[in-house]
């Protein structure tokens, strides 16, 4: 790949990193600020309240998917990517300055809620705009490799957030972290978003989008997307298992290790941090492999592994007891999840023609995340609070089993020409040949 291709991947990924840094920082620092916005009481109940607000952000993602997907198809991928990072910067600032319960009662919760709604709008469009841009902006024979950098950047955002958490844990007292230290990462996120906004203002549009002259006034509309409803439902179904597993082993993992497995917050954070570094390095390798052998083999491997290994992995994690066993089990889980994360962006983008590609990826993916990804942490905590935590393990495995059926019946998308896709061609993708 030439220098220009790498530049496009870098700019698209850098913005994605900041977007997901802010998104996941909320989850990773929730153990410190949960008590700041709600009355004193059961720590699990406080976490459930903050997890509920986390889930609310996901329910704005379909709105963001529709709005920003429309912008991406009608105004270009660059316009959508610039708008998403602007919204994310605003939400980070709001969280950084939100008043606590002691200062403003539930007024702070309202500010937190508004910030999460803005984040939901932003991320709902960012995923599709980034997936579409990375898929379109590279050599067709390297689409899997290029699009894998979406999860490299998403994971890098988490790594930066967890790394900052480790630094703060070692430089500030526990009282200071609960008092004001948790605000620092949101200030950092706002500054990072400002930098990426500048970079994206000068980014180049993709040749695939510039060359497309189809669609006219229906570009990026729900009417146009309805012609590809089978592909849209396919996106929801193939996302279901992957997003539940991903959020279980990333955003929820730190809380699970500290709240259920009994590890200290510092040890749990270090486990997540180390595992995510390895996870990020695996993404391009798996993406490149998909360019050679196809997307379906990796998706099927993920689904089989997640269906049959989730229950034993989560059970053993709860009894890991120390850093190394917890790290080994976390890495095993993330290796399995890589089969989905490394290529799901390009698989979805390959299902739709250019004029409806951003909306086609954004809206159904956002719906799937609202139903399954955003609620994963809350469902896990609900099972724990009900005294039946193992029920969540079976829930994750069941979602993966549903997606496995989809992966087994869908056709391969690796060799599709994105510039010549038609309704008749895409309609054959839902059935394996």
């Amino acid at each position: 790949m030439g220098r220009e291709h790498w530049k496009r991947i870098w700019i698209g990924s850098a913005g994605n990193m900041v977007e997901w840094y802010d998104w996941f920082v909320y989850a990773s620092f929730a153990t410190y600020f949960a008590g700041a916005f709600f009355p004193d009481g059961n720590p699990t109940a406080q976490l459930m309240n903050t997890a509920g607000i986390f889930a609310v952000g996901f329910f704005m993602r379909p709105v963001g998917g529709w709005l920003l997907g429309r912008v991406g198809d009608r105004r270009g991928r660059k316009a959508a990517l610039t708008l998403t990072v602007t919204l994310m910067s605003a939400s980070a600032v709001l969280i950084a300055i939100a008043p606590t319960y002691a200062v403003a009662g539930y007024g702070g919760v309202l500010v937190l809620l508004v910030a999460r709604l803005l984040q939901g709008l932003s991320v709902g469009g960012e995923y599709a705009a980034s997936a579409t841009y990375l898929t379109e902006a590279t050599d067709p024979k390297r689409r899997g490799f290029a699009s894998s950098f979406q999860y490299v950047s998403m994971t890098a955002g988490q790594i930066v957030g967890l790394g900052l958490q480790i630094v703060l844990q070692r430089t500030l007292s526990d009282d200071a972290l609960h008092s004001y230290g948790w605000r620092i990462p949101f200030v950092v996120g706002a500054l990072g978003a400002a930098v990426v906004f500048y970079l994206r203002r000068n980014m180049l549009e993709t040749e695939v989008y510039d060359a497309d002259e189809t669609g006219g006034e229906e570009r990026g509309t729900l009417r146009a997307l309805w012609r590809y409803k089978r592909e849209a439902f396919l996106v929801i179904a193939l996302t279901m298992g992957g997003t539940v597993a991903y959020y279980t082993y990333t955003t929820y993992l730190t809380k699970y290790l500290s709240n259920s497995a009994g590890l200290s917050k510092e040890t749990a954070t270090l486990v997540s941090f180390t595992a995510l570094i390895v996870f990020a390095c695996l993404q391009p390798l798996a993406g490149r492999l998909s360019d050679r052998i196809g997307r379906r083999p990796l998706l099927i491997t993920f689904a089989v592994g997640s269906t049959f290994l989730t229950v034993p992995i989560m059970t053993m994690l709860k009894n890991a007891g120390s850093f190394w066993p917890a790290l080994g089990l976390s890495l095993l889980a993330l290796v399995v999840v890589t089969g989905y994360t490394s290529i799901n962006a390009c698989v979805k983008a390959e299902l739709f023609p250019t004029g409806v590609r951003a909306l086609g990826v954004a809206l159904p993916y956002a719906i799937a995340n609202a139903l399954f990804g955003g609620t994963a942490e809350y469902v896990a905590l609900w099972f724990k609070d009900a005294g039946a935590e193992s029920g969540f393990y079976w829930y994750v495995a069941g979602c993966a089993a549903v997606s496995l059926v989809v992966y087994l019946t869908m056709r391969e998308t690796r060799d599709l020409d994105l510039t010549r896709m038609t309704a008749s061609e895409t309609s054959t993708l839902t059935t394996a040949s």
Side-chain angles (χ1 to χ4, degrees):
M1 289 165 58
R3 181 178 179 181
E4 186 59 39
H5 278 135
W6 279 111
K7 181 179 178 181
R8 292 184 177 190
I9 290 174
W10 156 242
I11 293 176
S13 298
N16 206 37
M17 180 181 73
V18 174
E19 293 272 4
W20 288 91
Y21 163 86
D22 284 340
W23 185 260
F24 287 111
V25 144
Y26 179 97
S28 63
F29 277 84
T31 54
Y32 291 106
F33 67 74
F37 293 100
F38 299 97
D40 292 337
N42 186 339
T44 299
Q46 291 178 338
L47 279 175
M48 287 183 68
N49 287 329
T50 54
I53 294 178
F54 183 78
V56 166
F58 275 84
F59 285 100
M60 284 301 292
R61 288 175 66 162
V63 179
W66 165 72
L67 178 63
L68 296 169
R70 180 182 173 88
V71 171
D73 285 327
R74 296 182 70 87
R75 304 296 181 185
R77 318 312 187 200
K78 174 183 174 180
L81 287 168
T82 303
L83 181 55
T84 59
V85 78
T86 302
L87 293 173
M88 184 61 77
S89 179
S91 66
V93 170
L94 283 177
I95 297 177
I97 65 173
T100 64
Y101 181 82
V103 173
Y106 285 106
V109 175
L110 181 60
V111 174
L112 195 65
L113 180 61
V114 170
R116 288 296 298 169
L117 293 177
L118 287 177
Q119 283 187 333
L121 281 173
S122 177
V123 177
E126 170 67 22
Y127 174 88
S130 179
T132 301
Y133 187 86
L134 290 172
T135 302
E136 291 180 349
T138 193
D139 186 320
K141 295 181 179 179
R142 290 177 175 264
R143 289 200 299 252
F145 174 77
S147 66
S148 71
F149 281 87
Q150 182 170 42
Y151 271 83
V152 171
S153 59
M154 287 171 62
T155 306
Q158 294 181 73
I159 290 171
V160 172
L162 287 170
L164 181 57
Q165 187 173 11
I166 291 173
V167 171
L168 292 176
Q169 286 172 339
R170 282 158 174 71
T171 56
L172 297 177
S173 66
D174 194 63
D175 288 341
L177 277 170
H178 282 84
S179 175
Y180 67 87
W182 61 264
R183 298 182 187 272
I184 295 174
F186 295 104
V187 174
V188 172
L191 294 174
V195 173
V196 174
F197 175 81
Y198 173 78
L199 292 174
R200 284 187 167 177
R201 286 188 63 189
N202 299 300
M203 72 191 298
L204 298 175
E205 190 56 80
T206 68
E207 289 95 347
V208 173
Y209 180 84
D210 283 338
D212 183 67
E213 299 179 353
T214 62
E217 289 301 314
E218 289 197 350
R219 290 177 67 98
T221 64
L222 293 176
R223 180 183 300 178
L225 178 60
W226 187 249
R227 298 194 185 100
Y228 303 94
K229 54 183 176 295
R230 294 176 65 187
E231 290 70 40
F233 284 114
L234 179 61
V235 170
I236 293 174
L238 69 86
T239 300
M240 178 181 177
T243 191
V244 171
Y246 176 72
Y247 282 102
T248 297
Y249 295 119
T250 55
T251 60
Y252 180 60
L253 181 64
T254 304
K255 284 192 265 313
Y256 179 72
L257 291 176
S258 62
N259 206 28
S260 296
L263 273 64
S264 68
K265 291 179 181 178
E266 292 77 10
T267 300
T269 301
L270 187 58
V271 169
S272 294
F273 180 79
T274 307
L276 287 174
I277 290 177
V278 178
F279 179 64
C281 294
L282 290 174
Q283 304 308 300
L285 299 177
R288 189 71 187 100
L289 180 62
S290 80
D291 288 326
R292 294 178 178 273
I293 68 173
R295 321 299 189 209
R296 289 180 68 243
L298 270 71
L299 291 172
I300 292 171
T301 299
F302 150 72
V304 171
S306 191
T307 299
F308 295 102
L309 294 179
T310 294
V311 174
I313 287 177
M314 293 294 287
T315 301
M316 289 188 288
L317 269 175
K318 188 173 183 178
N319 299 291
S322 61
F323 174 82
W324 288 109
L327 177 61
L329 290 166
S330 299
L331 286 175
L332 174 60
L334 288 174
V335 168
V336 172
V337 174
T338 295
Y340 166 80
T341 56
S342 61
I343 58 170
N344 83 94
C346 66
V347 169
K348 294 161 189 171
E350 289 166 343
L351 292 174
F352 300 93
T354 304
V356 75
R357 183 168 294 130
L359 180 61
V361 175
L363 185 56
Y365 174 78
I367 290 173
N369 268 276
L371 295 175
F372 304 105
T375 59
E377 182 177 328
Y378 192 84
V379 171
L381 291 170
W382 182 86
F383 272 111
K384 176 178 174 59
D385 199 51
E389 191 166 29
S390 62
F392 176 67
Y393 315 158
W394 290 100
Y395 169 75
V396 177
C399 290
V402 172
S403 287
L404 174 59
V405 175
V406 177
Y407 303 152
L408 290 171
T409 56
M410 69 180 286
R411 290 191 62 184
E412 181 58 61
T413 63
R414 177 188 56 175
D415 298 321
L416 290 174
D417 185 347
L418 298 184
T419 64
R420 297 182 179 181
M421 293 179 67
T422 64
S424 61
E425 182 177 7
T426 57
S427 66
T428 65
L429 294 174
T430 55
T431 305
S433 57

